[in-house]
Amino acid sequence: MGEVDFHLECIDCGAEYQADQVIYSCRRCGGLLSVEYDLSRVEANLDESWRGRALSVWRYRELLPIREDEKIVSLGEGGTSLNRCLRLSEDLGLKDLYVKNEGENPTGSFKDRGMTVGVTKALELEMGRVACASTGNTSASLAAYAARAGLECIVLVPSGKVAYGKLTQAMIHGAKVIQIRGNFDDALGIITKICSSHPIYLLNSLNPFRLEGQKTVALEIRDQLGGGVPDKIVVPVGNAGNISAIWKAFRELRELGLIEDTPQMIGVQAEGAAPIADSLRRGLSKVEFVEEPETIATAIRIGSPVNWKKAVRAVRESGGLVEKVSDEEILKAQELIARLEGIFIEPASAASIAGLKKLVQRRLIDRDELVVCILTGHGLKDPGVVLERFPKPVEVEATEEDVVRAIMPTEREAMKITAS
Ligand SMILES: *Cc1c(COP(=O)(O)O)cnc(C)c1O
Ligand SMILES: [Zn+2]
């Protein structure tokens, strides 16, 4: 298979570590770790190898940090559609808008791309238990992949702040679910400490192997665009792992000579949980954390994004930016794409559409640019937010006349129809 050699590297001091050890941060300086490949030694014609395989995470096997193919734990993740959105483009005032519908993944979010690699790594490292802190989707995904691999799974979630669909998923897959009286940031702090002193494998986005799986969304986008690269990629940002992973893929593609230009990375946060957007706007060199993050988009309700440094680099190196949007803008965007394109996404995903709308209005995104929005999770994860906002459907007697009366336009509506 022409496997590429890889190791772990500290993004701050450059210290290198062998990849077959359980380590989540640099032993020398505490910095974030990244998986680095010896790309100069790739001999194979990657595009040729990839072309013969189905669109999926494992199509990009050569750029994934796994040594034993027979251990791969897969549920058929990746290979999600890239939809061109003509009606939404027109509404927003754009020419060429595509959305990558990550809700099509096995558990309904992009987290599956990371977990297929992360849980396979847990098997390679011979860890019997896996764990994560989660706003919901990470736990749903980890629980499923752990079940598939026969591993014990522990998840910590903020009490009362996880969408029902996600909690249900973690439970049915047999994870040990623990609700803590605190927020996601508290949960992550606790589980990181526990995993550092117990033989439990941590699968939050601090884990660099997980991010390698997530980078494949970028590789798929290039293939789906016929080798082209968008001008802008718009991604909702919580713990900031995904935006970092996507940027890493484009950097590697460029280094491999498979693309010339790279897209600008646009992150979108929710107003009540926007530490990166706010800190960049104030020109700070460090991200100042938000103590009590709050937003309806629970998947990005995060005040202390662990991957902030990687994300800030992604944004700076790519010439991008981080925007923030209100909950109201998020909910409107969720409805807009559902009505215009038939795609139902959860509120966190809608942040990318809301951010896009704002940036087009401010002319920070040009009408002619090729834009790809990452729709991170499926709308059915969190039906509660929708049901709360809509009136109950009308109820009538079970007769033809009553139904006809109910579906006929009212007089006012009829006048509008004639007028137009
Ligand atoms: C996890 C998640 C995010 C945030 O991704 P990060 O890598 O934490 O920035 C956004 N949307 C959804 C639906 C998610 O599940
Ligand atoms: Zn270091």
Side-chain angles (χ1 to χ4, degrees):
M1 187 140 289
E3 184 187 285
V4 187
D5 202 32
F6 54 86
H7 62 272
L8 293 170
E9 201 170 301
C10 171
I11 69 160
D12 284 326
C13 76
E16 295 187 7
Y17 302 91
Q18 286 183 342
D20 50 8
Q21 48 187 320
V22 180
I23 176 174
Y24 309 109
S25 56
C26 177
R27 294 208 182 98
R28 214 153 67 185
C29 77
L32 293 167
L33 299 176
S34 169
V35 178
E36 296 299 330
Y37 303 82
D38 193 352
L39 295 178
S40 63
R41 297 215 339 235
V42 179
E43 334 136 24
N45 179 338
L46 289 177
D47 268 328
E48 205 150 286
S49 312
W50 294 345
R51 213 170 289 133
R53 304 178 197 146
L55 196 73
S56 69
V57 168
W58 294 100
R59 173 185 175 109
Y60 308 100
R61 173 72 188 87
E62 289 83 355
L63 296 184
L64 294 173
I66 292 298
R67 299 201 200 275
E68 303 168 58
D69 277 11
E70 62 285 358
K71 293 214 165 133
I72 291 174
V73 183
S74 173
L75 287 165
E77 49 292 318
T80 58
S81 7
L82 182 72
N83 296 298
R84 188 156 187 215
C85 291
L86 293 176
R87 277 156 55 78
L88 184 61
S89 300
E90 197 185 327
D91 189 273
L92 298 178
L94 280 169
K95 266 202 332 227
D96 238 352
L97 169 63
Y98 290 80
V99 296
K100 182 74 167 153
N101 190 3
E102 290 290 285
E104 292 172 12
N105 275 295
T107 78
S109 82
F110 73 81
K111 301 295 198 300
D112 296 342
R113 291 182 185 273
M115 289 308 176
T116 184
V117 175
V119 171
T120 301
K121 185 52 76 177
L123 290 183
E124 280 193 347
L125 295 170
E126 297 181 342
M127 303 293 279
R129 301 167 94 186
V130 292
C132 68
S134 178
T135 60
N137 282 330
T138 299
S139 65
S141 182
L142 181 57
Y145 283 84
R148 182 102 168 139
L151 299 177
E152 208 182 303
C153 174
I154 300 152
V155 309
L156 253 62
V157 297
S159 182
K161 294 291 183 183
V162 175
Y164 265 116
K166 305 177 187 180
L167 199 59
T168 312
Q169 288 177 290
M171 286 159 57
I172 192 72
H173 293 305
K176 184 170 280 177
V177 179
I178 298 162
Q179 304 200 64
I180 64 152
R181 296 187 197 99
N183 59 31
F184 169 84
D185 304 297
D186 302 323
L188 183 57
I190 294 167
I191 201 72
T192 303
K193 278 199 191 124
I194 293 175
C195 290
S196 306
S197 52
H198 295 76
I200 305 174
Y201 195 52
L202 180 67
L203 276 164
N204 279 100
S205 53
L206 201 58
N207 184 314
F209 295 110
R210 202 189 108 183
L211 293 184
E212 289 304 293
Q214 286 175 213
K215 82 181 176 188
T216 57
V217 71
L219 305 176
E220 285 185 11
I221 289 169
R222 168 178 172 267
D223 282 346
Q224 287 171 305
L225 290 174
V229 163
D231 296 305
K232 302 258 186 338
I233 297 241
V234 188
V235 203
V237 170
N239 230 355
N242 211 28
I243 191 170
S244 315
I246 295 170
W247 174 242
K248 184 172 186 285
F250 284 115
R251 253 184 23 218
E252 289 175 354
L253 285 172
R254 186 174 56 192
E255 202 178 323
L256 286 162
L258 293 174
I259 57 172
E260 277 169 28
D261 300 318
T262 50
Q264 292 178 299
M265 300 301 301
I266 312 264
V268 185
Q269 297 197 290
E271 260 175 22
I276 303 179
D278 288 339
S279 301
L280 288 181
R281 187 156 302 174
R282 287 164 58 201
L284 304 179
S285 57
K286 256 190 89 183
V287 165
E288 231 168 64
F289 294 157
V290 171
E291 284 295 327
E292 307 271 345
E294 205 44 85
T295 168
I296 189 148
T298 50
I300 51 173
R301 185 175 172 269
I302 292 173
S304 320
V306 284
N307 289 300
W308 70 265
K309 228 177 214 177
K310 286 184 179 177
V312 167
R313 278 187 199 176
V315 168
R316 291 231 165 97
E317 286 174 15
S318 71
L321 57 92
V322 181
E323 183 55 271
K324 61 178 178 179
V325 291
S326 70
D327 281 1
E328 192 48 41
E329 289 168 321
I330 287 174
L331 292 171
K332 278 196 183 137
Q334 183 190 29
E335 193 177 336
L336 189 69
I337 185 169
R339 294 203 172 192
L340 294 183
E341 300 292 349
I343 300 173
F344 184 21
I345 57 179
E346 68 167 281
S349 310
S352 67
I353 303 293
L356 174 62
K357 185 174 176 144
K358 212 166 188 172
L359 292 168
V360 174
Q361 280 165 357
R362 296 204 179 137
R363 315 226 161 172
L364 288 164
I365 293 182
D366 200 70
R367 176 178 167 69
D368 295 324
E369 286 184 299
L370 173 55
V371 180
V372 174
C373 273
I374 311 288
L375 305 180
T376 45
H378 202 288
L380 285 175
K381 295 264 189 181
D382 193 0
V385 290
V386 179
L387 288 175
E388 270 170 32
R389 300 176 64 232
F390 282 78
K392 264 213 193 122
V394 289
E395 188 178 325
V396 299
E397 292 307 322
T399 68
E400 190 181 331
E401 302 81 72
D402 281 271
V403 174
V404 166
R405 202 173 308 129
I407 62 176
M408 284 305 167
T410 60
E411 242 170 77
R412 239 172 86 214
E413 281 165 350
M415 272 163 62
K416 247 203 280 180
I417 293 167
T418 347
S420 67

